[in-house]
Amino acid sequence: MLLSLLFVWSLVAERMARWSITAPIAFAAAGVLLTGGDRPAVSLDMETHTFQTCVELVLAVMLFTDATETRDYEQLGRSVGEGRLLGLALPGSAVLAALFGALLFPGTNWWLLAVAALVVMPMDLAPALKFLRDERVPLRVRAALNIEGGFNDGLISPLFVFCVANLVTAEGDSFADLVLNAVMGAGYAVLAGAAMGCLAGWATRRCLGAGWATPDGLRLASLALPFLAYAASVLIGGNGFVAAFVAGLCYARTAHGLGNEHLRLVYDAGHLMALAVWFTFGALIAEEFAHGVGLPVLAYALLALTAARMLPVVVALAGTAFSGAERAAIGWFGSRGVTSIVFAVLAYTQLDGDDAAFVVNVTCATVLLSVVLHGVTTEPAARWFERHSRKPTVPAGPAR
């Protein structure tokens, strides 16, 4: 069934794009239609260990590809304030989301609120991809969003794992023990990821230079690397997500030095996995919203997309050469998608029933609103920038 869906979509994708029907929308809708009801055409058992492992590997590939793409705007990125977006706006957004959750869901465990905040705040540019490719939008705005999107999920993943661990920890494990375990896990992951990324880069250059390999043949090697980094880190007790991300960062210079063609296979695999995640998202919607959605959940989703995201971004970019409209655009187009869904599925498989349902509910509402709101505002925003274009020649940077 899923293979048939993929085949049909590949035939009509260009036509659907003219009607603003993107792959995430199509596969999420298919997930709702095929998995909903008393006799679904496709059944997904999300509580199995195999399903959880598959989801973890999907996230590892996504983090690796995000990391390898961060060099695309490297030179410009040093001056557009991405450090402020990641170092100030991102934690500020997570804190605000947790505070909004405390107001809307009084009595909820703070660790659970933290997990929900970390799940709904990571960016995924797929719902706003048209905006990112529109040349009417200033390059520095698109660059800032690309760079932030490449790094933020890699920074959030260890915090997410730590907060989930505090909810599911066995009796006898103190907070200090959990912190120590998290730090050690991140440290082992950095070592494993750096070793795998640097070793892969060195081996790639040497074998290619000696004529032992071709760029086309290296596609399989690039596809294997995120899985190897993840497995190596888990084997020594590290965080596999961090290892995959670090491996991508260390491999990026070699990868881009050879051209992006040999990364095409891992990018295609990541895209295919993302479509499977969107299908899973449709299944989650069908299950969680079968009896409607509460107003507090909708309010939380709306606040996560607006105030919790935009206020920290606008404040963090104050004093830079970004105009007010550019700061607002960067804040607004922090769309949500695959990363949030993957985090929610991982939470679903590890948390107890009510806690899992809470995280999945707020995630589904947030991502669904993001797909709709960011989709309908892309064209008006691009037109606004076209009318008010100043054609800046100097990249944005901190005001002096």
Side-chain angles (χ1 to χ4, degrees):
M1 182 68 72
L2 292 177
L3 293 176
S4 299
L5 177 63
L6 180 64
F7 179 79
V8 172
W9 173 255
S10 67
L11 297 179
V12 301
E14 188 63 27
R15 180 65 180 179
M16 294 295 102
R18 299 177 190 175
W19 299 336
S20 297
I21 299 177
T22 62
I25 294 174
F27 276 76
V32 173
L33 295 174
L34 296 177
T35 63
D38 296 331
R39 301 179 65 182
V42 178
S43 298
L44 290 179
D45 188 356
M46 301 183 192
E47 297 183 2
T48 64
H49 178 72
T50 300
F51 184 85
Q52 179 180 343
T53 301
C54 290
V55 172
E56 290 176 353
L57 293 177
V58 168
L59 182 57
V61 172
M62 289 168 47
L63 291 170
F64 176 83
T65 55
D66 283 348
T68 58
E69 290 176 336
T70 54
R71 280 183 53 84
D72 288 346
Y73 285 98
E74 184 180 85
Q75 297 302 319
L76 181 60
R78 293 194 181 109
S79 59
V80 295
E82 77 280 3
R84 295 190 184 192
L85 289 174
L86 296 168
L88 298 176
L90 182 59
S93 293
V95 170
L96 274 182
L99 292 176
F100 287 141
L103 292 174
L104 292 169
F105 309 102
T108 303
N109 185 301
W110 277 100
W111 286 114
L112 182 59
L113 292 174
V115 169
L118 293 171
V119 168
V120 301
M121 292 319 300
M123 287 173 54
D124 174 29
L125 299 176
L129 193 58
K130 186 177 178 182
F131 182 81
L132 270 293
R133 292 176 175 174
D134 199 316
E135 294 186 356
R136 293 172 295 179
V137 180
L139 175 60
R140 60 189 181 186
V141 172
R142 291 181 281 138
L145 287 169
N146 268 292
I147 294 166
E148 184 188 6
F151 278 102
N152 70 350
D153 46 3
L155 297 176
I156 283 179
S157 60
L159 296 176
F160 167 78
V161 172
F162 173 71
C163 290
V164 169
N166 274 279
L167 282 172
V168 301
T169 182
E171 293 184 6
D173 288 342
S174 66
F175 178 76
D177 292 333
L178 291 171
V179 172
L180 179 61
N181 290 336
V183 172
M184 291 178 62
Y188 292 148
V190 170
L191 292 176
M196 292 298 299
C198 293
L199 180 61
W202 174 83
T204 297
R205 292 192 300 271
R206 292 298 299 269
C207 292
L208 194 61
W212 292 4
T214 64
D216 289 341
L218 291 176
R219 294 179 182 181
L220 291 175
S222 299
L223 177 61
L225 187 53
F227 299 105
L228 290 173
Y230 178 90
S233 180
V234 171
L235 187 63
I236 62 175
N239 185 315
F241 305 138
V242 174
F245 185 72
V246 173
L249 289 176
C250 294
Y251 188 65
R253 185 174 299 276
T254 294
H256 289 272
L258 299 176
N260 288 342
E261 188 59 31
H262 81 289
L263 289 170
R264 187 58 54 194
L265 182 58
V266 69
Y267 288 162
D268 288 343
H271 179 65
L272 184 61
M273 291 177 175
L275 294 180
V277 172
W278 281 109
F279 185 87
T280 303
F281 175 62
L284 288 173
I285 293 176
E287 179 179 344
E288 298 299 325
F289 293 164
H291 304 292
V293 55
L295 287 179
V297 172
L298 284 176
Y300 180 86
L302 189 59
L303 288 171
L305 293 174
T306 55
R309 162 68 185 179
M310 296 183 68
L311 288 177
V313 168
V314 171
V315 172
L317 294 179
T320 69
F322 285 108
S323 67
E326 290 172 341
R327 294 199 298 271
I330 294 172
W332 171 245
F333 284 101
S335 52
R336 314 298 201 277
V338 172
T339 306
S340 293
I341 299 169
V342 170
F343 281 159
V345 171
L346 291 176
Y348 180 88
T349 60
Q350 296 181 47
L351 301 180
D352 294 332
D354 291 340
D355 291 350
F358 171 76
V359 174
V360 170
N361 271 327
V362 297
T363 304
C364 287
T366 303
V367 174
L368 191 58
L369 273 179
S370 176
V371 170
V372 174
L373 296 179
H374 292 120
V376 300
T377 56
T378 293
E379 182 61 22
R383 289 178 181 175
W384 191 95
F385 278 116
E386 184 180 30
R387 290 195 304 268
H388 298 81
S389 176
R390 299 177 184 176
K391 296 182 174 59
T393 58
V394 180
R400 295 183 181 275

